[in-house]
Amino acid sequence: MYRLLFCLLLCLNSSAGAAQILINEFLASNASVNSDNEYGAFSDWVELYNPGSNPVNLDGWHLSDSGDPLKWAFPSGTTI
């Protein structure tokens, strides 16, 4: 049975304004590509891209691969 590969939800807070962050690449269900050097695991990953000239603060932004849109929060102070 196939499982849902990856469902990305970016939950933006009101401070994001008109910022446009794009999902540039992602790898879901990673079993053999680019192991994590620190843990040796094959983690799923997502690459975000800011096409604008100003940094965007990701406070209050989240990623999820489940029904919980707040599953993983970007660390406070993260900018792209």
Side-chain angles (χ1 to χ4, degrees):
M1 179 172 174
Y2 294 99
R3 76 178 188 121
L4 179 61
L5 292 179
F6 203 70
C7 175
L8 288 175
L9 300 173
L10 292 176
C11 300
L12 312 177
N13 67 6
S14 60
S15 67
Q20 183 180 20
I21 299 299
L22 305 174
I23 298 171
N24 197 44
E25 294 183 56
F26 72 93
L27 177 61
S29 297
N30 184 13
S32 63
V33 178
N34 298 333
S35 68
D36 184 321
N37 291 334
E38 188 172 344
Y39 301 105
F42 294 99
S43 301
D44 299 343
W45 54 266
V46 61
E47 178 182 281
L48 302 179
Y49 173 67
N50 177 3
S53 57
N54 295 319
V56 175
N57 185 327
L58 300 181
D59 285 349
W61 290 40
H62 298 81
L63 293 173
S64 181
D65 63 353
S66 71
D68 176 9
L70 305 178
K71 183 174 180 179
W72 184 84
F74 283 91
S76 181
T78 301
T79 59
I80 182 171

